[in-house]
Amino acid sequence: MQVTPRTCWLEHAWLGTHVEPGVLLEIADGRVAAVHTDTPTPPPGAEILRGLTIPGLANAHSHAFHRALRGTVQVGSGTFWTWREVMYSVAGRLTPETYHDLARAVYAEMALAGITTVGEFHYVHHAPGGAPYADPNAMGEALIAAAAEAGVRITLLDTAYLSAGFGQPPGAHQLRFSDGTAQAWAERCSVLKDRDHARIGAAIHSVRAVPAGQLATVARWAGERRAPLHVHLSEQTAENDACRAAHGCTPTRLLADHGVLGPRTTGVHHTHLTDEDIALIGGSGTGTCMCPTTERDLADGIGPALALQHAGSPLSFGSDSHAVIDLLEEARAMELDERLRTRTRGHWTAAALLRAATADGHAALAWPDAGTIEAGALADLTTIALDSVRTAGPPPRLGAETAVFAATAADVRHTIVGGRHVVRDGAHTLVPDVPQALTEAVRALRR
């Protein structure tokens, strides 16, 4: 049976290179069936989206349970490593039920921020102490279900995490992360299946968490399935130093030598790299996911994003620890951090930053048919108000610049996923009270 397309009239639409006024979309079966420009007024019956509509945003790196740390880890001094101990204490209290409730609320918060797809870097697999649940994938299934209930797409990046460091067995907190071996990890992951709103990918937590001899097993699993493969890479100088001591090379070289790098691989952070590392990453087509709000919150440093892009590495963004959930802030932070580092302006255009936050982020998460507004693409859309106290004033033709350099997540008016309103006029349609859902989910982990 042929479905009659519904129509959405976009007051202003970012079409990849420019802002177009008066765009009419026909949407059928969750996809854009046709795009009509030069439509200055909405036709009868069309749904009106006022403001600037862009493709839905892709959050390429998330640890949903880190959201429970927001506002609780800012007292006193410390480093990434002291922050990690607090994070472990939260991870130790998760159950499939509490994780589902927290992730549902976190993903709803993402939808309110215009995010339509999340890449969940998932490594809390088992019960405390390391015993598998009756369903060995209970925690991952909880995340997949949470995304469906929050109305967003998910790429579950099931993560191999086997050791505490080079040559070290898992510590007490890490036992529930570990499958023992990469082969056991692969066998468990193979049970997980794609579904309409979910893709299954792989991740290597880091070179310190997966022994060198087992890296190829994870890469082979992803390669055989043509699945995305993500990895934390050179986030900390201590990791680089330990890798050199153990293997005589940088983490990037170690991954390259074991077949991990490549066009379906995305490295997260890429903060402390050598020139050779940058050449290896860019030359292999490996992507780079920058998480500026987390990298500055944890005092990690500023990664060489510009050099990586020039070397051939596609860029994307993630909210990582969820110090804030705002992909527009991540996008402008990359440019503004580079301005601080170089003391010059204008390294990326607003259009380039939006592409990283939309099309390139979706590609990194194995959703290549999302992230654009064109016929055949998934009808995943985000509408940003151009009349708030932050965005009022500039002409609409500069809507991309306004969105990236002035707007925040609070300016997201509508979020549409597969042609369905998940956020309408700033309110979530599936999770009635997102702040309350977050409060209850976080409180449950503190009892």
Side-chain angles (χ1 to χ4, degrees), residues 47 117 263-264:
E47 184 168 5
T117 303
R264 284 194 304 278

Side-chain angles (χ1 to χ4, degrees), residues 70-91:
R70 185 185 294 177
T72 67
V73 288
Q74 301 298 337
V75 178
S77 61
T79 66
F80 167 86
W81 306 101
T82 54
W83 170 89
R84 188 178 71 159
E85 293 305 310
V86 182
M87 179 270 289
Y88 281 161
S89 70
V90 174

Side-chain angles (χ1 to χ4, degrees), residues 150-178:
V152 301
R153 305 184 195 277
I154 186 172
T155 297
L156 187 74
L157 298 161
D158 197 289
T159 304
Y161 193 135
L162 308 174
S163 59
F166 297 98
Q168 300 175 24
H173 288 302
Q174 298 155 333
L175 288 172
R176 69 183 311 192
F177 308 161
S178 177

Side-chain angles (χ1 to χ4, degrees), residues 10-28:
L10 317 182
E11 185 179 30
H12 304 282
W14 181 70
L15 299 182
T17 57
H18 67 288
V19 172
E20 183 78 19
V23 174
L24 187 69
L25 299 186
E26 296 180 29
I27 297 175

